[in-house]
Amino acid sequence: MSTYHLQVVSMDGLDFDGEVQKILLRTIDGDVEILARHTDYCTAIGMGTARVTMADGTERKAACIGGMLSVMKGEVRVLPTTWEWSEDIDLERAKAAKEHAEERLKDQMLDKDARIRAEAKLYRALVRIGTHGQERE
């Protein structure tokens, strides 16, 4: 399979810079898979597990939350708000965040903004837990 150059640059810095066969990730409009020679494309990233197939055919997964995806003249750049490789996810921390968000959502007195924030924190925790658990697939 053909390869192309992929860069993943999050707020923490350069997370990946190399050749890949493809990347599959969640955008705000649904999942998209980028292969070599993809047309120019730009979209906002949603929350989900990104699957990167390396040049050698191995697959790595990462929790990918927010940001932008850009394909320009064969160069693919993922600029996520959060990018965390599955092997780097602190599972206990993610579970604690999930439990905290669930407890917060039980509060019937939460205002609309606080509820939205708690739901987002819960979803982020679930993405991280799911991505960590998928590393053995």
Side-chain angles (χ1 to χ4, degrees):
M1 182 176 266
S2 297
T3 63
Y4 61 88
H5 186 244
L6 170 68
Q7 276 191 332
V8 178
V9 184
S10 70
M11 293 181 168
D12 294 328
L14 185 63
D15 292 299
F16 182 80
D17 189 7
E19 292 293 307
V20 300
Q21 291 181 14
K22 61 184 173 181
I23 184 171
L24 172 72
L25 55 83
R26 171 102 5 115
T27 72
I28 60 169
D29 294 319
D31 291 347
V32 65
E33 185 171 61
I34 306 296
L35 301 170
R37 295 180 289 286
H38 194 284
T39 189
D40 288 354
Y41 180 72
C42 187
T43 190
I45 296 170
M47 282 192 231
T49 300
R51 299 170 187 275
V52 182
T53 303
M54 303 298 173
D56 66 3
T58 60
E59 184 178 80
R60 289 183 76 188
K61 297 175 182 75
C64 179
I65 299 170
M68 295 296 296
L69 165 67
S70 168
V71 181
M72 296 298 269
K73 298 179 183 175
E75 288 287 316
V76 180
R77 289 184 182 83
V78 178
L79 306 164
T81 303
T82 301
W83 179 273
E84 197 170 3
W85 290 110
S86 61
E87 63 270 15
D88 296 332
I89 292 172
D90 181 340
L91 186 57
E92 294 310 311
R93 183 172 160 244
K95 286 179 179 179
K98 174 185 173 280
E99 290 172 14
H100 180 73
E102 288 172 336
E103 284 300 314
R104 188 90 171 108
L105 287 168
K106 288 178 185 176
D107 181 353
Q108 297 299 315
M109 301 303 289
L110 276 183
D111 65 31
K112 183 179 177 183
D113 290 339
R115 183 163 300 283
I116 289 169
R117 284 192 302 275
E119 288 171 350
K121 287 180 182 183
L122 175 60
Y123 193 65
R124 282 193 297 270
L126 290 171
V127 167
R128 294 176 70 235
I129 290 166
T131 300
H132 182 274
Q134 293 172 2
E135 70 185 29
R136 289 177 285 283
E137 287 183 353

